[in-house]
């Protein structure tokens, strides 16, 4: 039951010698989701040992080149690899027009369909779900419409304690009732509350991706209790003015968001090319939020399963 985030790119828009623009692979129960697709993302997937055919969906936070220039070559490559299952892409408008142009001029014979799902970046909305996972949009404050992505595991089904089954001699019907969350009445008339018999096998985990954005109290609030939060920190704290004007955040903004959300750990990234070494940014954020870690390409952050 894996739940992890692999950093594929951590730079902002200007190219640097040793960093790629934004992209991450989120692995939830061995299902892979691509979050943003900066230039070079397909090579970065290969370097990280992630088979691009395993991607179940793509989420694009916004339509700035440093978050999507890598997507179109990846779409072509998936065709070369013979993908036949549809690929959902969640992105704000007018992504559909870009996709249509790409398909018309460069990928006329793609053997699979790319399904665009429009994201309304003003809404905190459920984008997709399956048996164990929900993915939500988080409205952000950037120069163009932009939404973060929140991955939340669903509550796992109740398990009935084996020791209690023996202790109370529960029948199959009583076990089924306990699994449905009901209280169980024994033959002697005693009623056992559901909590006496059941437990959740694990605590649901959550990851929030917030880039690109000014500090947003609302966004932080929507991420309440996440185990891991990625928040862009393009600038050092002293560059507050540049950050505000350009729709970005400082290290202090990122730390403030993690504090407000009560996040377990904070990962910062989307570093401006002016910072050759991100340690200065990490140190600043850590002074406010000690559990801060740098986005480093190829590094995987794992959220452990906990009872
Ligand atoms: Zn960006
Ligand atoms: Zn941007």
């Amino acid at each position: 039951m894996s739940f992890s985030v692999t950093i594929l790119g951590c730079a902002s828009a200007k190219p640097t010698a040793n960093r790629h623009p934004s992209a991450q692979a989120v692995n939830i129960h061995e299902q892979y989701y691509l979050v943003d697709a900066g230039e070079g993302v397909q090579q970065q997937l290969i370097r990280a040992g992630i088979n691009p055919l395993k991607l179940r969906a793509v989420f694009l936070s916004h339509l700035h080149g440093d978050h999507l220039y890598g997507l179109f070559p990846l779409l072509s490559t998936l065709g070369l690899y013979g993908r036949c299952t549809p690929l959902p892409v969640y992105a704000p408008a007018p992504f559909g027009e870009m996709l249509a142009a790409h398909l018309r001029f460069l990928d006329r014979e793609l053997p699979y369909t790319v399904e665009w799902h429009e994201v309304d970046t003003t809404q905190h909305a459920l984008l997709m779900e399956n048996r164990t996972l929900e993915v939500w949009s988080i409205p952000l404050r950037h120069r163009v419409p932009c939404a973060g992505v929140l991955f939340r595991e669903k509550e796992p089904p109740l398990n009935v304690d084996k020791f209690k089954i023996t202790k109370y001699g529960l029948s199959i019907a009583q076990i089924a009732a306990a699994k449905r969350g009901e209280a169980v009445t024994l033959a002697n008339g005693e009623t056992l509350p559901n909590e006496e018999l059941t437990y959740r096998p694990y605590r649901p985990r959550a990851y929030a991706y917030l880039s690109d954005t000014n500090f947003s109290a609302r966004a932080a609030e929507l991420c309440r209790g996440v185990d891991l939060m990625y928040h862009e920190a393009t600038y050092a704290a002293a560059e507050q003015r540049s950050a505000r004007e350009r729709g970005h955040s400082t290290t202090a903004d990122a730390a403030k968001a993690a504090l407000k959300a009560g996040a377990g750990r904070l990962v910062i990234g989307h570093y401006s090319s002016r910072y050759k070494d991100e340690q200065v940014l990490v140190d600043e954020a850590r002074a406010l939020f000690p559990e801060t870690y740098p986005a480093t390409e190829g590094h995987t952050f794992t959220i452990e399963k906990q009872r």
Side-chain angles (χ1 to χ4, degrees):
M1 297 291 259
S2 45
F3 196 128
S4 67
V5 179
T6 299
I7 308 297
L8 303 171
C10 60
S12 52
K14 283 186 192 154
T16 63
N18 51 1
R19 293 180 192 137
H20 292 75
S22 295
Q24 301 185 354
V26 177
N27 170 359
I28 297 175
H29 309 168
E30 296 310 313
Q31 312 275 322
Y32 284 85
Y33 303 92
L34 184 64
V35 180
D36 279 338
E39 196 178 338
V41 68
Q42 55 175 339
Q43 290 90 342
Q44 289 295 85
L45 282 167
I46 293 167
R47 286 189 191 106
I50 298 167
N51 180 348
L53 283 172
K54 283 190 170 178
L55 292 175
R56 303 293 293 222
V58 178
F59 297 89
L60 299 181
S61 59
H62 64 300
L63 303 184
H64 275 160
D66 58 318
H67 297 253
L68 72 81
Y69 282 151
L71 180 66
F72 298 105
L74 174 64
L75 296 180
S76 302
T77 300
L78 290 173
L80 290 177
Y81 286 175
R83 183 183 179 108
C84 43
T85 47
L87 180 69
V89 178
Y90 297 82
F95 175 75
E97 291 176 43
M98 298 176 179
L99 178 63
H102 173 78
L103 296 177
R104 184 166 159 216
F105 295 109
L106 293 163
D107 262 331
R108 296 181 78 91
E109 317 232 314
L110 218 52
Y112 65 97
T113 44
V114 183
E115 295 171 348
W116 173 45
H117 299 261
E118 183 176 345
V119 175
D120 177 348
T121 58
T122 65
Q123 298 298 315
H124 174 50
L126 183 64
L127 301 178
M128 64 150 277
E129 68 176 322
N130 59 31
R131 210 167 41 80
T132 56
L133 173 72
E134 290 180 351
V135 185
W136 293 80
S137 58
I138 303 282
L140 295 178
R141 295 171 54 210
H142 194 40
R143 304 196 304 279
V144 298
C146 183
V149 191
L150 173 64
F151 294 86
R152 260 193 204 289
E153 258 178 338
K154 288 182 181 174
E155 283 259 290
L158 289 167
N159 274 3
V160 182
D161 188 331
K162 286 198 178 72
F163 172 74
K164 301 284 171 68
I165 294 175
T166 315
K167 180 178 171 188
Y168 297 112
L170 299 183
S171 68
I172 296 202
Q174 286 170 324
I175 294 169
K179 279 189 175 170
R180 291 194 299 271
E182 296 165 15
V184 169
T185 303
L186 301 177
N188 65 8
E190 186 189 354
T191 298
L192 301 171
N194 187 265
E195 309 81 78
E196 165 69 9
L197 303 172
T198 62
Y199 63 94
R200 300 273 176 199
Y202 60 90
R203 184 185 57 78
R205 296 164 282 186
Y207 169 59
Y209 173 85
L210 305 181
S211 186
D212 297 358
T213 189
N214 279 147
F215 170 78
S216 162
R218 181 185 175 210
E221 204 54 63
L222 291 171
C223 300
R224 182 127 284 285
V226 294
D227 302 271
L228 189 66
M229 171 187 279
Y230 172 88
H231 196 293
E232 69 131 295
T234 307
Y235 298 105
E239 303 296 321
Q240 186 64 254
R241 199 166 150 191
S242 302
R244 199 144 295 161
E245 284 170 5
R246 294 175 198 175
H248 286 298
S249 290
T250 65
T251 52
D253 292 329
K256 208 161 83 178
L259 282 168
K260 188 157 185 64
R265 282 179 291 169
L266 168 66
V267 179
I268 57 168
H270 200 271
Y271 313 120
S272 161
S273 59
R274 72 179 70 177
Y275 305 105
K276 302 297 171 231
D277 179 357
E278 61 263 24
Q279 195 56 43
V280 53
L281 301 173
V282 177
D283 290 344
E284 279 189 3
R286 250 180 211 165
L288 299 168
F289 189 83
E291 285 295 306
T292 301
Y293 300 89
T296 309
E297 292 179 16
H299 184 78
T300 298
F301 293 90
T302 301
I303 307 175
E304 298 299 339
K305 200 162 112 177
Q306 292 168 5
R307 281 285 298 274

